[in-house]
Amino acid sequence: MSERLVEKRRRRAVKLPGSLNSATTSDVARLAEVSTATVSRTLNTPNLVRPEVRERVEAAIEKLGFIPNDSARALRQNQTRLIGVVVPTLSYALYAEFYQKLQEALARHGFFALLATSEYDLHVEAEQAIRLIRQGAQGLVLVGKVREKRLSDFLAASRVPTVNTYAVDPTDNTNNVGFDNVKAIESAVDHLIALGHRRIAMLSGITTRRNDRALARRRGYEAIMQRNGLETEGWVEEAPYTIAGGRSALRSMLDRALEPTALVCGSDMLAIGALQECKTRSINVPGDLSIMGFDDLEIAAHLDPPLSTVEVPSKEMGNTAAECIVGLCLGTELPSRTVFETGLVIRSTTGPPRAPSR
């Protein structure tokens, strides 16, 4: 029998899920060409299954959006009342605030959160999200809109309700709770331009990790600079969202003999690192260099000098995301997209550029 005919018959034999969690152990076994017992061992004692067989079973599970019987039954009957939440990190206060409000709002409806972190790694996010669903999560709350393909495929097949947060796309109305990152960073750059700055550099998050929020902020910076006829080539440094990352990025920029009069940062942590590097180099802020942060962490108001920044409504997003995912799980009709506004918080790290000496 030809390989094409075998594949055709196998596809016809496998029941693709038409409703939430309708794929069965037998479906997974047929697609992976193993016994149902092997599927069970892969789920319960994967160390006893040969790696190549385990990979085939796991690929079939993800393709079909399969959820083990006990969890699937509870999901169909809305019994678990568990919501999986995957955030990049809890070491960043913004996500901790978001999760706290999300958890509190879920509890008011009798739902509970199962938390995991991804460390800004989409592969880890996919692993964690799929694991949370297999553990009985009735719905998911995720950060950003860009997903690893296997997670997107799994969610489409399993039809588990999902809410995306922290990023919105004006062309997409699919369960988004967030803000326009492009517009937010443009407001910060616009403030610096209004002060008279023309040499404005950026410390960005790492966009190569497919972080759609960092990428949107970088694109927003480049767009508004170009609209104003200002240079951007070579004026961006990417770094992790840490104080050390901010220090290192500004150091690299200054060591290249770049002389910005203003700096817009993709996070407050990058801005705090930049402030520390300025202190080390005896650079006056804002006299020699104006610095704008992003997020308005609690510490921003207590720095020396207090940090100008973009306020992000993390608590409000947490509360609204909870209401949205509960509504999706219970079948209540809710707005499919909620867009929050950000705001500028002007403190002491921004001012007009110093007049050139004569």
Side-chain angles (χ1 to χ4, degrees):
M1 187 180 296
S2 70
E3 290 184 5
R4 179 179 295 182
L5 184 57
V6 170
E7 177 66 16
K8 185 176 181 181
R9 289 188 176 181
R10 184 198 308 151
R11 289 178 178 172
R12 190 159 41 208
V14 174
K15 176 182 64 176
L16 291 175
S19 60
L20 180 63
N21 309 304
S22 62
T24 67
T25 303
S26 296
D27 295 333
V28 174
R30 277 193 290 271
L31 184 58
E33 298 181 320
V34 298
S35 67
T36 55
T38 299
V39 174
S40 179
R41 279 196 297 274
T42 301
L43 290 168
N44 298 308
T45 53
N47 57 306
L48 300 181
V49 182
R50 295 199 313 273
E52 64 273 15
V53 175
R54 186 169 67 241
E55 288 176 8
R56 288 212 314 274
V57 173
E58 289 175 345
I61 286 171
E62 292 175 10
K63 181 174 182 179
L64 294 173
F66 170 75
I67 299 173
N69 287 340
D70 290 344
S71 296
R73 189 179 304 113
L75 283 167
R76 282 193 294 270
Q77 298 171 358
N78 287 335
Q79 290 177 345
T80 73
R81 304 188 82 81
L82 298 174
I83 301 298
V85 183
V86 185
V87 298
T89 179
L90 285 179
S91 63
Y92 199 62
L94 200 74
Y95 291 122
E97 290 177 352
F98 168 79
Y99 175 70
Q100 180 182 348
K101 289 301 178 182
L102 175 73
Q103 181 178 239
E104 291 172 359
L106 288 174
R108 289 197 296 270
H109 294 281
F111 282 72
F112 303 92
L114 295 172
L115 177 66
T117 59
S118 66
E119 296 304 320
Y120 297 96
D121 187 321
L122 294 185
H123 177 72
V124 174
E125 179 192 58
E127 294 281 345
Q128 298 283 35
I130 293 171
R131 183 177 295 114
L132 288 171
I133 293 171
R134 289 177 184 163
Q135 290 174 347
Q138 192 173 331
L140 280 178
V141 175
L142 304 174
V143 172
K145 289 181 53 60
V146 175
R147 309 265 88 85
E148 193 173 68
K149 185 177 185 299
R150 67 189 184 110
L151 176 56
S152 297
D153 291 346
F154 182 88
L155 294 176
S158 64
R159 300 190 181 181
V160 171
T162 304
V163 172
N164 302 309
T165 63
Y166 276 87
V168 293
D169 180 345
T171 65
D172 185 357
N173 289 320
T174 309
N175 305 331
N176 293 326
V177 175
F179 60 94
D180 188 331
N181 283 272
V182 170
K183 182 180 176 182
I185 202 73
E186 284 185 343
S187 69
V189 177
D190 190 55
H191 167 67
L192 295 171
I193 292 173
L195 287 172
H197 293 280
R198 294 296 177 266
R199 300 199 309 275
I200 304 171
M202 181 181 192
L203 301 190
S204 167
I206 300 176
T207 60
T208 53
R209 288 184 173 183
R210 296 174 65 202
N211 181 329
D212 55 354
R213 289 88 62 209
L215 182 58
R217 292 170 202 174
R218 176 165 180 167
R219 285 175 174 169
Y221 158 79
E222 291 171 342
I224 191 169
M225 291 286 284
Q226 289 165 8
R227 285 201 301 271
N228 284 273
L230 303 177
E231 183 64 45
T232 62
E233 185 69 32
W235 288 71
V236 179
E237 287 283 341
E238 295 192 355
Y241 287 139
T242 62
I243 294 174
R247 290 197 68 167
S248 176
L250 181 57
R251 185 183 311 124
S252 174
M253 189 174 285
L254 297 177
D255 287 349
R256 289 191 285 112
L258 209 62
E259 296 184 353
T261 63
L263 187 66
V264 63
C265 302
S267 79
D268 282 352
M269 298 301 277
L270 290 174
I272 293 169
L275 277 170
Q276 293 304 308
E277 185 65 18
C278 285
K279 288 182 183 296
T280 300
R281 293 174 178 251
S282 299
I283 296 173
N284 180 268
V285 177
D288 299 321
L289 181 67
S290 285
I291 298 178
M292 281 287 305
F294 195 105
D295 289 332
D296 194 26
L297 301 180
E298 182 181 5
I299 194 175
H302 305 285
L303 297 171
D304 180 23
L307 180 66
S308 295
T309 186
V310 176
E311 181 182 25
V312 171
S314 56
K315 296 177 182 178
E316 293 85 347
M317 283 191 293
N319 187 73
T320 302
E323 299 290 336
C324 188
I325 194 62
V326 168
L328 290 171
C329 289
L330 298 182
T332 306
E333 188 155 344
L334 289 171
S336 57
R337 184 173 57 148
T338 302
V339 182
F340 287 94
E341 293 296 323
T342 58
L344 288 180
V345 181
I346 306 306
R347 298 192 178 103
S348 303
T349 58
T350 52
R354 192 188 300 277
S357 58
R358 296 186 179 182

PDB file of all heavy atoms in Angstrom, residues 92-94 97 268-269 272 295-303 306-307 309 314-315 347:
ATOM      1  N   TYR A  92       9.275  41.114  37.740  1.00  0.00           N
ATOM      2  CA  TYR A  92       8.950  42.463  37.295  1.00  0.00           C
ATOM      3  C   TYR A  92       7.629  42.853  37.948  1.00  0.00           C
ATOM      4  O   TYR A  92       6.609  42.186  37.765  1.00  0.00           O
ATOM      5  CB  TYR A  92       8.853  42.513  35.771  1.00  0.00           C
ATOM      6  CG  TYR A  92       8.976  43.911  35.201  1.00  0.00           C
ATOM      7  CD1 TYR A  92      10.144  44.648  35.383  1.00  0.00           C
ATOM      8  CD2 TYR A  92       7.937  44.491  34.499  1.00  0.00           C
ATOM      9  CE1 TYR A  92      10.269  45.927  34.866  1.00  0.00           C
ATOM     10  CE2 TYR A  92       8.053  45.779  33.977  1.00  0.00           C
ATOM     11  CZ  TYR A  92       9.222  46.488  34.169  1.00  0.00           C
ATOM     12  OH  TYR A  92       9.344  47.759  33.667  1.00  0.00           O
ATOM     13  N   ALA A  93       7.643  43.936  38.712  1.00  0.00           N
ATOM     14  CA  ALA A  93       6.493  44.290  39.550  1.00  0.00           C
ATOM     15  C   ALA A  93       5.204  44.458  38.757  1.00  0.00           C
ATOM     16  O   ALA A  93       4.114  44.172  39.262  1.00  0.00           O
ATOM     17  CB  ALA A  93       6.800  45.575  40.321  1.00  0.00           C
ATOM     18  N   LEU A  94       5.313  44.895  37.507  1.00  0.00           N
ATOM     19  CA  LEU A  94       4.118  45.128  36.704  1.00  0.00           C
ATOM     20  C   LEU A  94       3.301  43.850  36.547  1.00  0.00           C
ATOM     21  O   LEU A  94       2.067  43.856  36.669  1.00  0.00           O
ATOM     22  CB  LEU A  94       4.519  45.664  35.332  1.00  0.00           C
ATOM     23  CG  LEU A  94       3.422  46.398  34.564  1.00  0.00           C
ATOM     24  CD1 LEU A  94       3.186  47.776  35.173  1.00  0.00           C
ATOM     25  CD2 LEU A  94       3.791  46.529  33.105  1.00  0.00           C
ATOM     26  N   GLU A  97       1.612  42.825  39.871  1.00  0.00           N
ATOM     27  CA  GLU A  97       0.393  43.600  40.109  1.00  0.00           C
ATOM     28  C   GLU A  97      -0.756  43.083  39.245  1.00  0.00           C
ATOM     29  O   GLU A  97      -1.896  42.953  39.700  1.00  0.00           O
ATOM     30  CB  GLU A  97       0.635  45.078  39.798  1.00  0.00           C
ATOM     31  CG  GLU A  97       1.555  45.786  40.773  1.00  0.00           C
ATOM     32  CD  GLU A  97       1.812  47.230  40.363  1.00  0.00           C
ATOM     33  OE1 GLU A  97       1.386  47.617  39.243  1.00  0.00           O
ATOM     34  OE2 GLU A  97       2.429  47.966  41.150  1.00  0.00           O
ATOM     35  N   ASP A 268      10.679  50.735  32.703  1.00  0.00           N
ATOM     36  CA  ASP A 268      11.285  51.502  33.794  1.00  0.00           C
ATOM     37  C   ASP A 268      12.596  50.882  34.252  1.00  0.00           C
ATOM     38  O   ASP A 268      13.515  51.592  34.677  1.00  0.00           O
ATOM     39  CB  ASP A 268      10.319  51.575  34.990  1.00  0.00           C
ATOM     40  CG  ASP A 268       9.219  52.604  34.797  1.00  0.00           C
ATOM     41  OD1 ASP A 268       9.280  53.365  33.809  1.00  0.00           O
ATOM     42  OD2 ASP A 268       8.297  52.652  35.631  1.00  0.00           O
ATOM     43  N   MET A 269      12.703  49.552  34.200  1.00  0.00           N
ATOM     44  CA  MET A 269      13.939  48.907  34.641  1.00  0.00           C
ATOM     45  C   MET A 269      15.114  49.320  33.761  1.00  0.00           C
ATOM     46  O   MET A 269      16.221  49.579  34.256  1.00  0.00           O
ATOM     47  CB  MET A 269      13.777  47.384  34.627  1.00  0.00           C
ATOM     48  CG  MET A 269      12.702  46.880  35.577  1.00  0.00           C
ATOM     49  SD  MET A 269      13.006  47.338  37.308  1.00  0.00           S
ATOM     50  CE  MET A 269      14.134  46.042  37.784  1.00  0.00           C
ATOM     51  N   ILE A 272      15.974  52.860  34.828  1.00  0.00           N
ATOM     52  CA  ILE A 272      16.698  52.901  36.101  1.00  0.00           C
ATOM     53  C   ILE A 272      18.158  52.528  35.882  1.00  0.00           C
ATOM     54  O   ILE A 272      19.072  53.146  36.442  1.00  0.00           O
ATOM     55  CB  ILE A 272      16.032  51.960  37.129  1.00  0.00           C
ATOM     56  CG1 ILE A 272      14.646  52.490  37.494  1.00  0.00           C
ATOM     57  CG2 ILE A 272      16.900  51.837  38.385  1.00  0.00           C
ATOM     58  CD1 ILE A 272      13.813  51.507  38.301  1.00  0.00           C
ATOM     59  N   ASP A 295       6.067  52.177  32.073  1.00  0.00           N
ATOM     60  CA  ASP A 295       5.346  51.270  32.987  1.00  0.00           C
ATOM     61  C   ASP A 295       4.862  51.987  34.231  1.00  0.00           C
ATOM     62  O   ASP A 295       3.840  51.635  34.796  1.00  0.00           O
ATOM     63  CB  ASP A 295       6.174  50.050  33.435  1.00  0.00           C
ATOM     64  CG  ASP A 295       6.394  49.052  32.314  1.00  0.00           C
ATOM     65  OD1 ASP A 295       5.538  48.980  31.413  1.00  0.00           O
ATOM     66  OD2 ASP A 295       7.433  48.362  32.329  1.00  0.00           O
ATOM     67  N   ASP A 296       5.632  52.966  34.730  1.00  0.00           N
ATOM     68  CA  ASP A 296       5.340  53.656  35.985  1.00  0.00           C
ATOM     69  C   ASP A 296       5.273  52.689  37.159  1.00  0.00           C
ATOM     70  O   ASP A 296       4.264  52.584  37.865  1.00  0.00           O
ATOM     71  CB  ASP A 296       4.042  54.474  35.901  1.00  0.00           C
ATOM     72  CG  ASP A 296       3.915  55.467  37.062  1.00  0.00           C
ATOM     73  OD1 ASP A 296       4.962  55.877  37.599  1.00  0.00           O
ATOM     74  OD2 ASP A 296       2.776  55.813  37.422  1.00  0.00           O
ATOM     75  N   LEU A 297       6.379  51.985  37.389  1.00  0.00           N
ATOM     76  CA  LEU A 297       6.504  51.149  38.576  1.00  0.00           C
ATOM     77  C   LEU A 297       6.469  52.027  39.823  1.00  0.00           C
ATOM     78  O   LEU A 297       6.781  53.222  39.766  1.00  0.00           O
ATOM     79  CB  LEU A 297       7.817  50.369  38.544  1.00  0.00           C
ATOM     80  CG  LEU A 297       8.037  49.427  37.355  1.00  0.00           C
ATOM     81  CD1 LEU A 297       9.391  48.750  37.491  1.00  0.00           C
ATOM     82  CD2 LEU A 297       6.927  48.400  37.246  1.00  0.00           C
ATOM     83  N   GLU A 298       6.119  51.441  40.950  1.00  0.00           N
ATOM     84  CA  GLU A 298       6.019  52.213  42.193  1.00  0.00           C
ATOM     85  C   GLU A 298       7.322  52.933  42.520  1.00  0.00           C
ATOM     86  O   GLU A 298       7.324  54.075  42.985  1.00  0.00           O
ATOM     87  CB  GLU A 298       5.635  51.291  43.349  1.00  0.00           C
ATOM     88  CG  GLU A 298       5.457  52.006  44.666  1.00  0.00           C
ATOM     89  CD  GLU A 298       5.097  51.074  45.801  1.00  0.00           C
ATOM     90  OE1 GLU A 298       5.075  49.847  45.578  1.00  0.00           O
ATOM     91  OE2 GLU A 298       4.836  51.567  46.916  1.00  0.00           O
ATOM     92  N   ILE A 299       8.451  52.287  42.230  1.00  0.00           N
ATOM     93  CA  ILE A 299       9.747  52.867  42.569  1.00  0.00           C
ATOM     94  C   ILE A 299      10.065  54.107  41.739  1.00  0.00           C
ATOM     95  O   ILE A 299      10.889  54.940  42.145  1.00  0.00           O
ATOM     96  CB  ILE A 299      10.872  51.813  42.397  1.00  0.00           C
ATOM     97  CG1 ILE A 299      12.159  52.297  43.060  1.00  0.00           C
ATOM     98  CG2 ILE A 299      11.082  51.482  40.928  1.00  0.00           C
ATOM     99  CD1 ILE A 299      13.275  51.272  43.053  1.00  0.00           C
ATOM    100  N   ALA A 300       9.409  54.266  40.584  1.00  0.00           N
ATOM    101  CA  ALA A 300       9.749  55.365  39.668  1.00  0.00           C
ATOM    102  C   ALA A 300       9.622  56.730  40.327  1.00  0.00           C
ATOM    103  O   ALA A 300      10.416  57.643  40.070  1.00  0.00           O
ATOM    104  CB  ALA A 300       8.869  55.302  38.418  1.00  0.00           C
ATOM    105  N   ALA A 301       8.630  56.885  41.201  1.00  0.00           N
ATOM    106  CA  ALA A 301       8.399  58.177  41.853  1.00  0.00           C
ATOM    107  C   ALA A 301       9.399  58.443  42.969  1.00  0.00           C
ATOM    108  O   ALA A 301       9.503  59.575  43.463  1.00  0.00           O
ATOM    109  CB  ALA A 301       6.983  58.227  42.420  1.00  0.00           C
ATOM    110  N   HIS A 302      10.173  57.426  43.384  1.00  0.00           N
ATOM    111  CA  HIS A 302      11.055  57.560  44.543  1.00  0.00           C
ATOM    112  C   HIS A 302      12.530  57.534  44.173  1.00  0.00           C
ATOM    113  O   HIS A 302      13.394  57.467  45.052  1.00  0.00           O
ATOM    114  CB  HIS A 302      10.748  56.433  45.537  1.00  0.00           C
ATOM    115  CG  HIS A 302       9.301  56.387  45.944  1.00  0.00           C
ATOM    116  ND1 HIS A 302       8.744  57.299  46.816  1.00  0.00           N
ATOM    117  CD2 HIS A 302       8.291  55.561  45.557  1.00  0.00           C
ATOM    118  CE1 HIS A 302       7.452  57.023  46.973  1.00  0.00           C
ATOM    119  NE2 HIS A 302       7.154  55.981  46.219  1.00  0.00           N
ATOM    120  N   LEU A 303      12.820  57.589  42.891  1.00  0.00           N
ATOM    121  CA  LEU A 303      14.212  57.631  42.450  1.00  0.00           C
ATOM    122  C   LEU A 303      14.774  59.035  42.625  1.00  0.00           C
ATOM    123  O   LEU A 303      14.047  59.986  42.902  1.00  0.00           O
ATOM    124  CB  LEU A 303      14.300  57.214  40.975  1.00  0.00           C
ATOM    125  CG  LEU A 303      13.860  55.781  40.651  1.00  0.00           C
ATOM    126  CD1 LEU A 303      13.781  55.584  39.142  1.00  0.00           C
ATOM    127  CD2 LEU A 303      14.824  54.767  41.263  1.00  0.00           C
ATOM    128  N   PRO A 306      13.246  61.666  40.454  1.00  0.00           N
ATOM    129  CA  PRO A 306      12.062  60.869  40.117  1.00  0.00           C
ATOM    130  C   PRO A 306      11.898  60.735  38.603  1.00  0.00           C
ATOM    131  O   PRO A 306      12.143  61.682  37.855  1.00  0.00           O
ATOM    132  CB  PRO A 306      10.905  61.665  40.739  1.00  0.00           C
ATOM    133  CG  PRO A 306      11.552  62.446  41.843  1.00  0.00           C
ATOM    134  CD  PRO A 306      12.909  62.808  41.330  1.00  0.00           C
ATOM    135  N   LEU A 307      11.490  59.550  38.178  1.00  0.00           N
ATOM    136  CA  LEU A 307      11.505  59.193  36.760  1.00  0.00           C
ATOM    137  C   LEU A 307      10.232  59.600  36.016  1.00  0.00           C
ATOM    138  O   LEU A 307       9.118  59.241  36.417  1.00  0.00           O
ATOM    139  CB  LEU A 307      11.691  57.677  36.627  1.00  0.00           C
ATOM    140  CG  LEU A 307      11.733  57.085  35.220  1.00  0.00           C
ATOM    141  CD1 LEU A 307      12.976  57.567  34.469  1.00  0.00           C
ATOM    142  CD2 LEU A 307      11.716  55.549  35.301  1.00  0.00           C
ATOM    143  N   THR A 309       7.769  58.873  33.001  1.00  0.00           N
ATOM    144  CA  THR A 309       7.487  57.549  32.454  1.00  0.00           C
ATOM    145  C   THR A 309       6.107  57.503  31.826  1.00  0.00           C
ATOM    146  O   THR A 309       5.358  58.486  31.852  1.00  0.00           O
ATOM    147  CB  THR A 309       7.624  56.483  33.571  1.00  0.00           C
ATOM    148  OG1 THR A 309       7.491  55.179  33.015  1.00  0.00           O
ATOM    149  CG2 THR A 309       6.588  56.685  34.665  1.00  0.00           C
ATOM    150  N   SER A 314      -1.806  48.186  34.590  1.00  0.00           N
ATOM    151  CA  SER A 314      -1.669  46.746  34.798  1.00  0.00           C
ATOM    152  C   SER A 314      -2.769  46.183  35.699  1.00  0.00           C
ATOM    153  O   SER A 314      -3.295  45.089  35.448  1.00  0.00           O
ATOM    154  CB  SER A 314      -0.294  46.424  35.392  1.00  0.00           C
ATOM    155  OG  SER A 314      -0.098  47.141  36.595  1.00  0.00           O
ATOM    156  N   LYS A 315      -3.130  46.917  36.751  1.00  0.00           N
ATOM    157  CA  LYS A 315      -4.161  46.419  37.664  1.00  0.00           C
ATOM    158  C   LYS A 315      -5.515  46.347  36.970  1.00  0.00           C
ATOM    159  O   LYS A 315      -6.263  45.370  37.124  1.00  0.00           O
ATOM    160  CB  LYS A 315      -4.238  47.313  38.900  1.00  0.00           C
ATOM    161  CG  LYS A 315      -2.970  47.299  39.740  1.00  0.00           C
ATOM    162  CD  LYS A 315      -3.078  48.258  40.916  1.00  0.00           C
ATOM    163  CE  LYS A 315      -1.789  48.268  41.724  1.00  0.00           C
ATOM    164  NZ  LYS A 315      -1.850  49.234  42.855  1.00  0.00           N
ATOM    165  N   ARG A 347       7.929  63.727  35.519  1.00  0.00           N
ATOM    166  CA  ARG A 347       8.588  64.029  36.799  1.00  0.00           C
ATOM    167  C   ARG A 347       9.865  64.817  36.509  1.00  0.00           C
ATOM    168  O   ARG A 347       9.818  65.801  35.768  1.00  0.00           O
ATOM    169  CB  ARG A 347       8.836  62.725  37.567  1.00  0.00           C
ATOM    170  CG  ARG A 347       7.533  61.977  37.929  1.00  0.00           C
ATOM    171  CD  ARG A 347       7.796  60.862  38.920  1.00  0.00           C
ATOM    172  NE  ARG A 347       6.552  60.181  39.296  1.00  0.00           N
ATOM    173  CZ  ARG A 347       6.170  58.990  38.830  1.00  0.00           C
ATOM    174  NH1 ARG A 347       6.939  58.342  37.952  1.00  0.00           N
ATOM    175  NH2 ARG A 347       5.035  58.442  39.211  1.00  0.00           N
TER     176      ARG A 347
END
